[in-house]
Amino acid sequence: SQQGEEDPQALSIQEGENATMNCSYKTSINNLQWYRQNSGRGLVHLILIRSNEREKHSGRLRVTLDTSKKSSSLLITASRAADTASYFCATVPNKAAGNKLTFGGGTRVLVKP
Amino acid sequence: DGGITQSPKYLFRKEGQNVTLSCEQNLNHDAMYWYRQDPGQGLRLIYYSQIVNDFQKGDIAEGYSVSREKKESFPLTVTSAQKNPTAFYLCASSGPGQGRGEAFFGQGTRLTVV
């Protein structure tokens, strides 16, 4: 079973537009992480947000976390063609539940030049 | 330089054969993970290990086996009991503190049954 579920499954935007994707999860977490995957490659870590944080920024990335709704969002501002990739959220459960890092199904983002 | 290495990049398996995928890291991470990815899908956890000589089943462990005899190495064996093994396999490691931080991924092994 997947802990995180991303929405939408696919997103197509023009270069310069913002891209927003959401992640919902089921159980209590220690932290939530976002990753990027280019086709046929390994995943690259983008940003980690802890359960006691509500918002975090890294360059053109903005992540929010709402633990009451068990959801997170990733915003990519001023998108570029090079942002074309799949984006995944992953959760680390709280201490009592162990350190199982579980991924969602991903959002495929296409940025058209 | 530090990182996580998977080999081989491509692997072909005949029906009924066991094959072993290699994963090595020199990041001094305690936690290591194996995931399976099918085309257009997310990552599903096969096995994970938080410390040497210990590992736990993930969500789809049936037909797979692992060992963790050294901190640096976490090989995955795909056994003949795995009926549909064709997939992209990804290994990851994370640390410190038994893996609560970001995970680093290898470049994957693409396994095909012929």
Side-chain angles (χ1 to χ4, degrees):
Chain A
S1 61
Q2 305 251 353
Q3 161 74 319
E5 294 295 335
E6 283 91 337
D7 170 58
Q9 291 187 330
L11 184 59
S12 180
I13 56 174
Q14 292 295 134
E15 207 164 24
E17 293 180 342
N18 294 344
T20 300
M21 58 211 86
N22 304 295
C23 169
S24 60
Y25 58 91
K26 297 172 186 171
T27 60
S28 177
I29 61 170
N30 175 279
N31 66 71
L32 184 144
Q33 303 174 32
W34 284 91
Y35 289 80
R36 165 197 169 118
Q37 183 183 34
N38 288 91
S39 182
R41 306 296 298 274
L43 277 71
V44 175
H45 182 266
L46 296 175
I47 198 164
L48 180 153
I49 186 164
R50 301 195 185 284
S51 59
N52 61 353
E53 298 175 310
R54 292 296 165 259
E55 188 170 312
K56 208 159 181 182
H57 297 256
S58 176
R60 293 185 295 113
L61 304 179
R62 173 181 169 246
V63 168
T64 62
L65 179 65
D66 186 335
T67 53
S68 67
K69 294 181 180 177
K70 291 187 169 59
S71 68
S72 173
S73 68
L74 171 66
L75 168 68
I76 304 172
T77 61
S79 63
R80 306 166 181 168
D83 294 328
T84 294
S86 291
Y87 293 82
F88 296 90
C89 69
T91 53
V92 176
N94 62 25
K95 192 169 187 177
N99 296 334
K100 193 175 166 183
L101 179 64
T102 306
F103 284 79
T107 294
R108 290 182 293 284
V109 174
L110 172 63
V111 181
K112 294 179 280 188
Chain B
D1 34 326
I4 180 162
T5 303
Q6 289 186 243
S7 63
K9 191 171 181 180
Y10 299 97
L11 186 58
F12 297 90
R13 189 193 97 168
K14 293 182 180 177
E15 295 277 356
Q17 252 184 356
N18 291 356
V19 290
T20 297
L21 283 60
S22 171
C23 179
E24 303 276 334
Q25 54 100 357
N26 60 4
L27 300 166
N28 199 34
H29 285 166
D30 288 314
M32 296 188 74
Y33 308 82
W34 273 106
Y35 296 91
R36 169 181 173 140
Q37 187 176 35
D38 292 287
Q41 303 296 312
L43 278 67
R44 291 186 290 167
L45 183 63
I46 305 172
Y47 270 97
Y48 64 110
S49 168
Q50 298 176 62
I51 200 165
V52 175
N53 293 322
D54 185 54
F55 48 83
Q56 289 81 40
K57 291 182 180 180
D59 299 315
I60 56 164
E62 186 174 350
Y64 300 97
S65 66
V66 293
S67 62
R68 187 84 188 277
E69 297 175 0
K70 298 188 298 181
K71 189 174 187 178
E72 302 78 20
S73 179
F74 191 41
L76 173 74
T77 296
V78 184
T79 75
S80 56
Q82 172 49 243
K83 296 306 176 191
N84 184 23
T86 294
F88 188 49
Y89 290 87
L90 287 159
C91 179
S93 69
S94 66
Q98 294 184 355
R100 293 195 174 277
E102 66 178 277
F104 292 78
F105 279 79
Q107 290 303 300
T109 293
R110 194 167 296 279
L111 174 63
T112 303
V113 174
V114 296

